[in-house]
Amino acid sequence: MTANRLMDPIGRLMGLRYKSHPWHGVDIGPDAPQVLTCFVEMVTTDTVKYEVDKISGYLKIDRPQKYSNVLPALYGFIPQTLCAKKIADYAAQKSGRKDIIGDGDPLDICILAEKSISHGDILVQAIPIGGFRMLDGNQADDKIIAVLKNDAVYGEYTDVEQLPPLIVTRLKHYFLTYKDLPGEERDCEITHTYSAAEAHEVIEASMEDYRQKFENLDTLLSEV
């Protein structure tokens, strides 16, 4: 894999002096898509939904959780990815839907880990083992499923099919229900659960979407 131009050399120098933006300033890693550096926004004990502010890069409160949904894994995103045209086209091809667009966010990831991690706003190394093709209205909103690298319990899993069915069911249930409001129809669905090989393709598509959107970012940084 070629070197990441955004991190060489001006990105590394800026990162030594200032906090790197977790979406744009953190390197996805040289072994992507097989091994990823991921940013964790939320952990399993959170009762408030946190997400990264796209402008500042700081973690912010999005909203309190209205109901007792329990997040069943570490949750965050893959730096330097974007769900845009390539992700939308891929989801349309796989689902048969023709009206799909990308949601404009970095690619989401759920990371299974044995240990209890007390807070988000951290970087972890994760290995993708599959994913969900989730559609929120007409927006592609894929969720990559991964395991924490070298995890004592989950580290041996290499594909989502190897997981106990209850773990997959819990993940699906959370993402299909955490935004539900009484009296309102659900507008999201999971059309497919896919393998590690397909997860790699989704990640690569999101990396290409990011490159096409932000291809001039390294030039702009060098002129600062």
Side-chain angles (χ1 to χ4, degrees):
M1 185 175 178
T2 58
N4 186 336
R5 293 185 304 156
L6 292 174
M7 303 303 296
D8 184 26
I10 190 68
R12 292 200 304 270
L13 293 174
M14 293 288 285
L16 291 174
R17 186 164 184 177
Y18 306 103
K19 178 181 178 180
S20 296
H21 195 295
W23 185 11
H24 304 294
V26 173
D27 193 353
I28 191 173
D31 298 319
Q34 286 80 15
V35 182
L36 309 169
T37 299
C38 305
F39 181 79
V40 173
E41 296 166 297
M42 296 179 62
V43 299
T44 57
T45 54
D46 285 333
T47 58
V48 171
K49 185 178 184 300
Y50 301 100
E51 66 177 33
V52 162
D53 178 70
K54 290 181 181 179
I55 302 300
S56 69
Y58 283 90
L59 203 61
K60 68 177 183 179
I61 293 176
D62 180 40
R63 62 180 178 272
Q65 299 284 54
K66 293 181 173 64
Y67 305 109
S68 57
N69 301 63
V70 177
L71 186 64
L74 304 176
Y75 181 66
F77 62 84
I78 306 171
Q80 297 185 14
T81 62
L82 177 68
C83 295
K85 187 178 187 304
K86 291 241 177 232
I87 286 288
D89 290 347
Y90 194 91
Q93 173 194 343
K94 294 292 185 178
S95 67
R97 292 264 303 269
K98 304 301 181 185
D99 60 336
I100 297 176
I101 61 174
D103 68 0
D105 290 333
L107 185 60
D108 295 328
I109 190 164
C110 308
I111 304 163
L112 298 168
E114 175 210 7
K115 299 298 184 184
S116 177
I117 296 175
S118 61
H119 64 87
D121 198 17
I122 57 173
L123 298 176
V124 303
Q125 294 283 297
I127 299 173
I129 63 169
F132 298 140
R133 177 152 295 105
M134 185 166 170
L135 301 179
D136 190 350
N138 70 329
Q139 295 185 344
D141 190 17
D142 283 62
K143 311 295 182 187
I144 298 299
I145 302 171
V147 297
L148 188 66
K149 185 179 178 181
N150 296 326
D151 187 84
V153 172
Y154 293 101
E156 297 300 315
Y157 291 108
T158 59
D159 197 276
V160 69
E161 288 189 352
Q162 300 169 349
L163 291 175
L166 181 60
I167 293 176
V168 179
T169 300
R170 283 176 173 169
L171 287 167
K172 286 183 176 180
H173 180 266
Y174 177 80
F175 288 110
L176 288 174
T177 62
Y178 79 104
K179 292 193 290 187
D180 279 2
L181 292 173
E184 294 186 6
E185 289 189 14
R186 180 186 299 171
D187 197 26
C188 61
E189 61 176 318
I190 293 173
T191 65
H192 301 86
T193 301
Y194 48 77
S195 67
E198 190 164 337
H200 294 163
E201 294 180 5
V202 171
I203 294 164
E204 288 176 335
S206 71
M207 292 169 66
E208 182 59 28
D209 271 338
Y210 182 91
R211 281 191 288 266
Q212 292 187 10
K213 174 73 173 179
F214 298 107
E215 62 182 351
N216 295 322
L217 184 58
D218 55 342
T219 302
L220 294 173
L221 284 173
S222 68
E223 293 173 352
V224 172

